[in-house]
Amino acid sequence: MKKIHYLIIIALALLCYANTLTLHFALDDRMVILESKYTIKGGWESVKAIFTEDTFTGYFGSDHAIVAGGRYRPMSQLTYMIEFQLFGKDIRERIGDLDDYYNLHNGDHEAYFYDTPLPFVCHLMNLLYFILLCLILYEVLARIFPQYEGKKWYQSLAFLAVLLFTVHPIHTEAVANVKGRDEIFAMLGALVSLWCSLQYVDSRKWYWLVLSLIAFTFGIFSKENAITFLAVVPLALYYLKSDNKRPIDYLITLIPILIGSVFFLIVRAKVLGSMMQPDMTSNILNNPYVHSTRAQQIATTLVTWGIYLRLLFFPHPLTHDYYPRQIAITDFSNPLVWLILAGCIALVGYAVWKLKKKSVPAFAILFFVITFSITSNLLFNVGTFMNERFVFVASAGFTLLVGWWLYLLATSQSPVLRKTAVGITGVVCLLFGIKTFTRNFAWMDDFTLFLTDVKTSENSIKCNISAGGSCLQIWKKSHKERDKRDAYKYLEKALKLDDHALNAYLLLSELAYLDENPELALQAARNANLIDPENPQAKNLLEMAGNSMKAHELDPVNKLLNEGKVDEAWREVNKILEKEPDNIVAKNVRGNVLGRGYGRLDDAIKVFEEIVAENPEFSSSWENMGICYAIKKDFANAERCLMRALELSPDNDNIRLNLYYMYKDKGDEASAEKYKP
């Protein structure tokens, strides 16, 4: 019978998640794979860093408590590094200097990953780990509840529960997103540890305890929520029917779990600086309760529990983003809060009442409560209101409870009820499977995920920022009015939700600058600079927007130059420079007057050289200098200057056009073709 169950579970997992093998990387994959210094660099130095630093240090370049509580999940991070070294090692040379923060985070590097089998391998491993997890869960449940196995293949509590677990759409975040591997590993390690504990009770072989310690250590070093099995193991042992079971076994089987937990907590405290980092961040996106009272936090948390329950029964719509203000802060004046609280108390009360009789529903409810406790936001602030992956482990309790109801129908004396059980199971698996399969596609990449989920998370500050940034990147390439309009729409919505959203201002400033709206670009850059005066991007945008404003003020001079009124243009630009001798834009225009107007190319080049000597990132002067060299047929210097200009302004089509004409004039048709408009 087990072989049939195994085959069905494996087949359903493959059918539901086969399309994940076509996905790229999305969301936090960037922080642990695409732009993680330690994943890319490899070697023992990286292994050491992975186990001795915050998980996100490889991305940020220094220790950052970027989310409340810090993050320490070295085991999954280690597997990313190994897979990269085996299947993506060539990317490292193409990326270049990993110690250069801006080079490491150059978005253009992402394309390198898709020239390798690395995305396929990472998603394949996630799928295989998930299948293994489902089979281990089946073995554990079959071992705890052997009495609930009927003669027919569908009359199995363990099988029905795991079947629902395998196809449940709420698991897509953990399986379809490579970063979700820490959830799979944590549950896998904890369940193997539990299975080894049960094996010890039956056999009295000490090596099962050693294996339990190894498995649990693997799980908890993948994600800290494995620690909840300190309570799950005794619960499972209580339900276990075994003639060899002794009271002392409750203590003995806990020893490996305790050793693993204490070891992890000590290491975690040493790495992060404390056992559990306090919620020091005042950023609402990393600490959603920063402006809330404790009562509001509890009330809002209870509402999220209700949302979790709804998604477990009816998993639609799904989203990766439940950040502020997708869920509104509430308080105990909300009747829904009291209703959910009463329901929770009733469920726990029922479980405790039925615990003495070792009922399956009691086990299922307690398993859910125990494993969900650490990610519920009640005991610890986890950095966001909720996430679907936070009930990944706990959902096994839910599917066990539903599986129990189906089992009762499947083993009924009535043939009609037995057929009904098979029919319900089949329909639910079909609907859940279709939802899972279609939801996977949303995880193709960041653009797809953000622009899909913003329709659901329409009141999320973070999702609107992400969607706006995605539309901005798309517009840079498409130049379609619709993409630009959507970028403005999402970024303005984000700022309406939070007028202190730094990233929204940064993106809006860049968008307005490229859209030739210097007033808006300057205002957005100023707001960003007020929020974070040390932010280098805000400073750069402030300078760019300021120069753009100055450029618009010089439009009359440029108009005179274009009309051939060179002497008038020369007088006007010099008047401006008398008042503002440090006006870099006016200096640049004076160089243009010398070069284009008077044909004094060498004098113009000297002006541009002085400008870039003082402001090496002023792309306009690099471009103008390149044009002067091209006119002089000095193609080597022309290419040098124009390529530098393009490096500084990669989205500037005018620079590309000048490169095209320069290469054409040089007679290099192959190079010209690359920049053909």
Side-chain angles (χ1 to χ4, degrees):
M1 193 76 73
K2 277 191 174 183
K3 289 183 179 179
I4 296 175
H5 292 165
Y6 269 37
L7 288 173
I8 294 175
I9 291 169
I10 293 171
L12 278 179
L14 289 172
L15 287 171
C16 288
Y17 289 102
N19 60 334
T20 62
L21 303 182
T22 67
L23 305 181
H24 292 167
F25 295 111
L27 208 61
D28 288 346
D29 290 347
R30 185 171 305 282
M31 302 177 78
V32 295
I33 300 175
L34 293 175
E35 296 175 12
S36 171
K37 172 182 173 182
Y38 300 133
T39 297
I40 298 170
K41 189 174 184 179
W44 288 111
E45 182 182 341
S46 288
V47 173
K48 179 183 176 183
I50 286 170
F51 280 90
T52 58
E53 297 178 8
D54 188 290
T55 293
F56 294 149
T57 300
Y59 176 84
F60 288 105
S62 59
D63 286 323
H64 274 66
I66 190 62
V67 255
R71 293 295 181 265
Y72 182 63
R73 284 109 186 236
M75 202 57 69
S76 52
Q77 182 68 48
L78 179 64
T79 63
Y80 305 141
M81 188 205 75
I82 293 171
E83 287 161 22
F84 181 90
Q85 301 309 312
L86 291 175
F87 299 99
K89 194 173 182 180
D90 293 342
I91 301 172
R92 187 170 60 204
E93 301 303 322
R94 300 176 70 183
I95 291 176
D97 187 2
L98 299 177
D99 292 318
D100 183 335
Y101 179 88
Y102 295 101
N103 181 62
L104 179 63
H105 297 287
N106 185 341
D108 293 338
H109 295 163
E110 186 171 344
Y112 302 158
F113 288 79
Y114 305 135
D115 294 334
T116 72
L118 187 64
F120 173 85
V121 170
C122 289
H123 284 290
L124 175 63
M125 296 311 297
N126 260 32
L127 176 53
L128 294 177
Y129 292 136
F130 179 68
I131 291 173
L132 179 60
L133 170 62
C134 292
L135 297 178
I136 292 296
L137 178 60
Y138 170 80
E139 284 292 336
V140 169
L141 292 178
R143 183 68 191 86
I144 298 174
F145 302 109
Q147 67 273 37
Y148 301 116
E149 295 288 332
K151 295 180 180 180
K152 302 290 186 180
W153 63 270
Y154 57 85
Q155 294 176 327
S156 166
L157 172 61
F159 172 66
L160 291 170
V162 175
L163 201 63
L164 296 174
F165 182 87
T166 304
V167 301
H168 205 297
I170 207 167
H171 298 155
T172 50
E173 182 173 2
V175 184
N177 183 214
V178 178
K179 168 63 173 61
R181 187 178 300 177
D182 49 14
E183 302 287 348
I184 299 173
F185 273 6
M187 187 175 184
L188 182 59
L191 283 175
V192 171
S193 178
L194 171 56
W195 187 77
C196 290
S197 298
L198 300 179
Q199 290 296 103
Y200 167 77
V201 173
D202 278 342
S203 67
R204 301 286 175 223
K205 303 292 186 181
W206 63 269
Y207 59 77
W208 286 115
L209 296 176
V210 175
L211 292 174
S212 174
L213 172 60
I214 294 171
F216 184 78
T217 302
F218 170 85
I220 199 168
F221 272 81
S222 297
K223 191 173 182 183
E224 56 274 2
N225 59 356
I227 201 170
T228 57
F229 272 66
L230 279 167
V232 171
V233 170
L235 177 66
L237 196 60
Y238 175 71
Y239 272 76
L240 180 68
K241 288 191 174 183
S242 174
D243 295 334
N244 293 333
K245 187 169 66 174
R246 304 167 302 176
I248 198 169
D249 287 334
Y250 287 96
L251 176 61
I252 294 174
T253 54
L254 268 184
I255 290 174
I257 315 296
L258 282 167
I259 293 173
S261 298
V262 171
F263 177 56
F264 169 77
L265 291 173
I266 291 173
V267 173
R268 188 184 192 278
K270 186 173 180 62
V271 169
L272 299 182
S274 64
M275 194 69 74
M276 176 57 70
Q277 288 187 355
D279 306 330
M280 298 180 67
T281 176
S282 59
N283 187 340
I284 193 173
L285 295 184
N286 296 324
N287 183 0
Y289 297 114
V290 68
H291 303 304
S292 306
T293 65
R294 180 57 178 163
Q296 288 175 322
Q297 179 176 347
I298 294 172
T300 307
T301 294
L302 285 168
V303 169
T304 65
W305 294 0
I307 298 173
Y308 279 125
L309 186 60
R310 179 183 64 78
L311 290 175
L312 286 168
F313 275 107
F314 187 74
H316 178 82
L318 297 176
T319 178
H320 76 284
D321 193 306
Y322 293 92
Y323 280 80
R325 297 187 163 76
Q326 179 61 18
I327 295 174
I329 295 292
T330 190
D331 54 37
F332 281 92
S333 65
N334 185 347
L336 180 62
V337 173
W338 289 102
L339 181 63
I340 294 171
L341 179 60
C344 292
I345 293 172
L347 281 172
V348 174
Y350 174 83
V352 172
W353 176 47
K354 289 291 185 178
L355 186 61
K356 188 174 181 180
K357 294 183 178 180
K358 298 183 180 179
S359 78
V360 173
F363 181 93
I365 293 169
L366 292 175
F367 180 93
F368 186 98
V369 171
I370 291 167
T371 55
F372 179 57
S373 61
I374 199 170
T375 56
S376 67
N377 258 332
L378 184 63
L379 302 179
F380 308 104
N381 185 340
V382 296
T384 183
F385 286 123
M386 60 179 287
N387 263 318
E388 289 157 15
R389 67 179 183 273
F390 290 170
V391 286
F392 181 73
V393 181
S395 66
F398 172 81
T399 60
L400 178 61
L401 184 60
V402 177
W404 169 249
W405 294 332
L406 292 174
Y407 171 81
L408 293 178
L409 288 175
T411 56
S412 170
Q413 296 296 320
S414 169
V416 175
L417 291 179
R418 291 199 296 271
K419 289 180 181 179
T420 300
V422 175
I424 292 174
T425 303
V427 169
V428 170
C429 286
L430 177 63
L431 294 176
F432 275 18
I434 291 172
K435 177 63 179 178
T436 296
F437 187 84
T438 54
R439 174 60 185 169
N440 290 335
F441 287 116
W443 290 92
M444 172 59 72
D445 52 35
D446 280 347
F447 291 163
T448 307
L449 183 66
F450 298 151
L451 295 178
T452 298
D453 286 1
V454 74
K455 297 170 185 175
T456 299
S457 301
E458 58 183 13
N459 290 317
S460 164
I461 302 166
K462 185 173 180 290
C463 204
N464 276 283
I465 293 173
S466 299
S470 296
C471 289
L472 170 59
Q473 296 305 315
I474 294 170
W475 174 61
K476 285 180 180 180
K477 297 177 181 178
S478 72
H479 303 292
K480 292 181 179 178
E481 187 68 22
R482 180 189 62 190
D483 297 324
K484 181 181 73 172
R485 185 173 62 249
D486 285 345
Y488 275 117
K489 178 181 72 174
Y490 291 127
L491 293 175
E492 288 169 356
K493 177 68 178 289
L495 289 170
K496 184 178 180 181
L497 293 165
D498 179 17
D499 59 5
H500 283 74
L502 173 64
N503 288 333
Y505 281 122
L506 293 174
L507 289 168
L508 182 61
S509 179
E510 181 184 358
L511 173 62
Y513 175 79
L514 295 174
D515 193 30
E516 298 183 357
N517 185 345
E519 293 87 354
L520 179 59
L522 185 60
Q523 186 58 54
R526 283 173 175 166
N527 289 339
N529 189 252
L530 286 172
I531 295 169
D532 184 2
E534 300 303 317
N535 188 286
Q537 188 179 355
K539 291 179 180 178
N540 185 48
L541 285 167
L542 197 58
E543 182 180 355
M544 289 169 57
N547 288 336
S548 182
M549 284 288 290
K550 291 175 182 177
H552 274 263
E553 293 170 1
L554 284 156
D555 281 347
V557 178
N558 286 317
K559 183 180 179 182
L560 290 170
L561 181 60
N562 291 332
E563 292 173 351
K565 300 175 181 178
V566 181
D567 291 336
E568 290 183 47
W570 179 255
R571 284 195 299 271
E572 292 301 319
V573 75
N574 282 316
K575 285 181 182 178
I576 293 172
L577 283 169
E578 285 176 8
K579 297 177 181 178
E580 304 175 60
D582 295 326
N583 189 326
I584 187 176
V585 180
K587 290 179 182 179
N588 190 54
V589 171
R590 182 167 65 176
N592 273 335
V593 175
L594 286 169
R596 288 174 52 200
Y598 291 114
R600 294 161 54 184
L601 297 176
D602 290 332
D603 290 337
I605 288 172
K606 287 181 181 178
V607 172
F608 297 134
E609 284 178 340
E610 290 175 4
I611 293 173
V612 298
E614 295 178 8
N615 302 272
E617 295 188 355
F618 191 63
S619 63
S620 182
S621 287
W622 283 107
E623 180 185 7
N624 291 332
M625 184 159 48
I627 293 170
C628 288
Y629 277 122
I631 295 172
K632 291 182 65 176
K633 306 298 182 184
D634 185 348
F635 297 116
N637 277 318
E639 182 180 30
R640 172 180 63 84
C641 294
L642 289 172
M643 291 303 291
R644 176 57 177 157
L646 186 63
E647 181 184 345
L648 293 168
S649 302
D651 301 307
N652 191 317
D653 289 333
N654 199 55
I655 298 173
R656 292 179 178 274
L657 185 64
N658 282 314
L659 276 166
Y660 169 74
Y661 286 126
M662 186 273 293
Y663 282 123
K664 288 281 287 186
D665 199 20
K666 183 182 177 183
D668 187 348
E669 295 293 337
S671 296
E673 191 66 25
K674 297 178 183 178
Y675 301 98
K676 187 175 181 179

